[in-house]
Amino acid sequence: MPPRQRLTPADRRAQLLAVGARLFAARPYADVLMEDVADEAGVSRALLYRHFPSKHALFAAMYQQAADQLLAGTRFDPAASLVEQLVQGMDIHLDYFVANRNAVLTANQVLAGDPVIQTIMTNELDALRARLLAVLPLVDDSGREAVSSVLQSWLVFVQVLCVNWLTHQTCTRTQLRDVCIGALLGALRPLLAEDPAPDWPQQGRTPDA
């Protein structure tokens, strides 16, 4: 074990979360041991357990941090086109999903019935839905309610499709992103006073590998 560094409690917690995030990204949930987290962080197991009493608590804190960072990085700017905003939001999430495949599969498969993890994901989806509602051209309250329902269903659709893609890779990343964006635009068009993306779909797109 490397010599232990003296850190403030907040800095130590941040260090342990960073180590946990690396291990949960690199390995399936069952293969991540708290002993490994302690060894890599250069701390005793007793100190690790003072911050996180279980592997589940460490994973939940790490996943909450990831959700917060994804929300912070997802920008919805009324000055940009809806497609630009959707592309940016999808890309930042797909970047995380690809880099942290094991962690995403843990949250959505291994811990699929866990109320703590489900609350983290639900809260993020609700925040994304609220931000999208704020930038869409809505006519009245009844239109807002209908669009909100569509957004809620679409976000769940994206979540399920992305998890399936991480498991099976049946299309390219660009195709996955464009399927998700196209699904939302198609669902929204009958409900909005103006077409939110008159130039979509774009022809002649070159899929990535």
mmCIF file of all heavy atoms in Angstrom, residues 19-20 49 122 130 171:
data_model
loop_
_atom_site.group_PDB
_atom_site.id
_atom_site.type_symbol
_atom_site.label_atom_id
_atom_site.label_comp_id
_atom_site.label_asym_id
_atom_site.label_seq_id
_atom_site.Cartn_x
_atom_site.Cartn_y
_atom_site.Cartn_z
ATOM 1 N N VAL A 19 -11.451 6.932 -7.335
ATOM 2 C CA VAL A 19 -10.928 5.563 -7.425
ATOM 3 C C VAL A 19 -12.070 4.590 -7.700
ATOM 4 O O VAL A 19 -11.967 3.698 -8.564
ATOM 5 C CB VAL A 19 -10.186 5.182 -6.133
ATOM 6 C CG1 VAL A 19 -9.850 3.683 -6.133
ATOM 7 C CG2 VAL A 19 -8.910 5.997 -5.994
ATOM 8 N N GLY A 20 -13.171 4.747 -6.974
ATOM 9 C CA GLY A 20 -14.320 3.878 -7.198
ATOM 10 C C GLY A 20 -14.841 3.982 -8.622
ATOM 11 O O GLY A 20 -15.171 2.971 -9.251
ATOM 12 N N TYR A 49 -14.378 2.500 4.904
ATOM 13 C CA TYR A 49 -15.723 2.201 5.403
ATOM 14 C C TYR A 49 -16.292 3.336 6.247
ATOM 15 O O TYR A 49 -17.515 3.431 6.396
ATOM 16 C CB TYR A 49 -15.710 0.898 6.194
ATOM 17 C CG TYR A 49 -15.731 -0.334 5.324
ATOM 18 C CD1 TYR A 49 -14.603 -1.147 5.180
ATOM 19 C CD2 TYR A 49 -16.878 -0.697 4.615
ATOM 20 C CE1 TYR A 49 -14.618 -2.275 4.377
ATOM 21 C CE2 TYR A 49 -16.904 -1.814 3.794
ATOM 22 C CZ TYR A 49 -15.776 -2.597 3.682
ATOM 23 O OH TYR A 49 -15.791 -3.712 2.875
ATOM 24 N N THR A 122 -33.993 8.495 -12.147
ATOM 25 C CA THR A 122 -35.265 9.182 -12.352
ATOM 26 C C THR A 122 -35.119 10.684 -12.164
ATOM 27 O O THR A 122 -35.672 11.478 -12.939
ATOM 28 C CB THR A 122 -36.327 8.642 -11.374
ATOM 29 O OG1 THR A 122 -36.548 7.254 -11.644
ATOM 30 C CG2 THR A 122 -37.641 9.387 -11.527
ATOM 31 N N ALA A 130 -37.440 18.730 -17.729
ATOM 32 C CA ALA A 130 -37.779 20.115 -17.400
ATOM 33 C C ALA A 130 -36.976 21.097 -18.254
ATOM 34 O O ALA A 130 -37.512 22.122 -18.708
ATOM 35 C CB ALA A 130 -37.517 20.370 -15.916
ATOM 36 N N CYS A 171 -25.562 -1.083 -33.976
ATOM 37 C CA CYS A 171 -25.410 0.005 -34.948
ATOM 38 C C CYS A 171 -24.253 0.878 -34.501
ATOM 39 O O CYS A 171 -23.658 0.651 -33.446
ATOM 40 C CB CYS A 171 -26.704 0.822 -35.056
ATOM 41 S SG CYS A 171 -27.179 1.668 -33.528
#
